[in-house]
Amino acid sequence: MADNKFNNEKTIARCVPMGRLQSVIGGKWKILILWYVSFYKVQRFGELMRRLDGITQSTLTKQLRELESDGFLHREIYREIPPKVEYTLTEFGESFIPVLQTMMAWSETYLCPDWQNPYENSEYH
């Protein structure tokens, strides 16, 4: 697993399952990265940069590498000019989709009750 402040023995021992989850999705942008990759099925680096307003290239690279290292994302590199890289969910990453859906529904209900969901007609709802 990627190294971070939530991935040490004393922290994880408090509540192993939640500590482990926090160590994997604890990055500021990881939930949104997973959401966009799961919703669009395939995302290129530039597409994610445009969708994640305010993220830096280095931060996106780091978070994508961590999600790949933790088994959520698959990175496909196409050897062409210009180079093309696509990200998709792994089978493990796809198992996280119900969690993303639940988080989205909770946020719509409790944090954004007046928000009109553009994803309403998709398979996520």
Side-chain angles (χ1 to χ4, degrees):
M1 247 189 263
D3 291 333
N4 64 44
K5 66 184 177 185
F6 300 103
N7 197 20
N8 66 58
E9 292 295 321
K10 289 181 182 177
T11 303
I12 291 176
R14 293 185 192 119
C15 179
V16 173
M18 291 304 286
R20 187 67 45 90
L21 179 61
Q22 180 66 37
S23 74
V24 173
I25 62 168
K28 178 179 178 179
W29 301 97
K30 287 182 180 179
I31 294 294
L32 281 172
I33 292 168
L34 290 170
W35 174 259
Y36 286 126
V37 175
S38 70
F39 184 78
Y40 292 103
K41 308 296 184 217
V42 176
Q43 284 288 274
R44 293 179 61 184
F45 187 88
E47 291 171 324
L48 287 167
M49 280 293 297
R50 286 187 292 281
R51 293 185 198 292
L52 300 169
D53 188 35
I55 195 168
T56 64
Q57 187 172 349
S58 62
T59 297
L60 179 56
T61 298
K62 181 178 186 286
Q63 302 236 318
L64 287 167
R65 285 184 183 157
E66 288 175 4
L67 286 167
E68 184 183 6
S69 172
D70 290 333
F72 281 82
L73 294 179
H74 170 73
R75 178 177 52 159
E76 186 72 32
I77 303 168
Y78 295 91
R79 307 271 184 222
E80 55 188 50
I81 298 175
K84 181 170 96 172
V85 178
E86 292 181 340
Y87 294 90
T88 56
L89 291 179
T90 61
E91 187 176 331
F92 180 72
E94 288 177 0
S95 74
F96 195 68
I97 290 174
V99 177
L100 293 170
Q101 292 169 334
T102 300
M103 292 171 71
M104 180 69 158
W106 184 88
S107 184
E108 287 173 339
T109 301
Y110 296 103
L111 301 178
C112 307
D114 298 328
W115 182 67
Q116 296 299 311
N117 183 351
Y119 307 112
E120 211 162 78
N121 296 328
S122 75
E123 66 188 62
Y124 283 86
H125 241 249

